[in-house]
């Protein structure tokens, strides 16, 4: 069965993942969980789905989370969490990336809690900070069914 949908604004994700999800689910409006939501615009896997009526749980441990709060503060279907997901509750070092894409308008796209990962991006400046991690099982058991998008 082929499903047709009305998309409000095409494509924010890097490789059309958002369009794939919309087309796959047709007119269904689900709930998504995006871990590593960044600022909610640059290479966003969730923005198009939110614009098309999906509920969202956006997790972002970096400072770009402030952009998420501003962008979605009036949308009761979007819930934002300023922490990382791990296998236990703890505070950890976090390396937040500066500009990564060629237009220079991004921040945080290749941020990581693994210092070794920063070595893959020698042209990117990283700032060390501390973030809160929460045990992922706490999060998923309380959210019910959702579609999970990872960055």
């Amino acid at each position: 069965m082929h499903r047709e949908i009305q998309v409000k604004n095409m494509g924010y994700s890097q490789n059309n993942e958002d369009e794939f999800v919309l087309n796959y689910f047709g007119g269904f409006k689900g709930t998504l969980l995006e871990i590593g939501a960044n600022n909610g615009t640059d290479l966003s896997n969730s923005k198009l789905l939110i614009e098309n009526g999906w509920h969202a749980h956006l997790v972002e441990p970096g400072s770009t989370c402030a952009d998420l709060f501003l962008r979605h503060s009036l949308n009761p279907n979007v819930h934002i969490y300023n922490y990382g997901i791990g296998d236990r509750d703890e505070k950890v070092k976090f390396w937040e990336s500066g500009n990564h894409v060629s237009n220079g308008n991004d921040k945080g796209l290749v941020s990581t809690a693994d210092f070794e990962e920063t070595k893959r991006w020698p042209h990117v400046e990283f700032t060390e900070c501390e973030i809160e991690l929460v045990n992922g099982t706490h999060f998923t058991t309380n959210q019910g069914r959702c579609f999970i998008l990872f960055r």
Side-chain angles (χ1 to χ4, degrees):
M1 176 172 93
H2 181 68
R3 304 173 206 176
E4 291 291 329
I5 61 165
Q6 192 103 31
V7 177
K8 290 183 180 178
N9 202 358
M10 294 304 283
Y12 300 102
S13 64
Q14 186 171 11
N15 296 300
N16 301 342
E17 296 88 348
D18 50 1
E19 294 173 33
F20 173 83
V21 171
L22 282 179
N23 288 325
Y24 181 84
F25 285 105
F28 177 78
K29 294 180 181 359
T31 300
L32 66 91
L33 166 62
E34 185 170 18
I35 299 172
N38 198 260
N39 65 9
T41 299
D42 295 315
L43 305 181
S44 175
N45 290 323
S46 60
K47 183 176 180 181
L48 185 63
L49 281 72
I50 293 167
E51 288 176 349
N52 282 274
W54 283 56
H55 290 243
H57 296 272
L58 307 177
V59 180
E60 174 55 51
S63 66
T64 58
C65 192
D67 295 331
L68 287 173
F69 282 112
L70 291 173
R71 182 164 286 107
H72 298 294
S73 63
L74 300 177
N75 188 340
N77 297 328
V78 178
H79 307 279
I80 298 164
Y81 308 90
N82 189 205
Y83 50 71
I85 303 294
D87 59 357
R88 60 186 168 274
D89 297 337
E90 65 179 328
K91 292 206 182 260
V92 298
K93 288 183 180 180
F94 186 70
W95 289 268
E96 187 161 38
S97 65
N99 295 341
H100 168 63
V101 296
S102 58
N103 70 13
N105 294 329
D106 68 301
K107 180 182 176 192
L109 286 176
V110 293
S111 298
T112 180
D114 179 0
F115 178 75
E116 291 300 311
E117 187 68 15
T118 66
K119 295 176 182 175
R120 289 183 50 206
W121 311 100
H123 66 285
V124 175
E125 184 177 324
F126 288 86
T127 304
E128 183 181 326
C129 59
E130 187 175 80
I131 63 162
E132 180 181 354
L133 284 184
V134 298
N135 187 321
T137 58
H138 299 315
F139 195 89
T140 56
T141 56
N142 294 326
Q143 302 308 319
R145 294 184 340 209
C146 63
F147 183 76
I148 300 176
L149 299 170
F150 291 93
R151 178 166 309 281

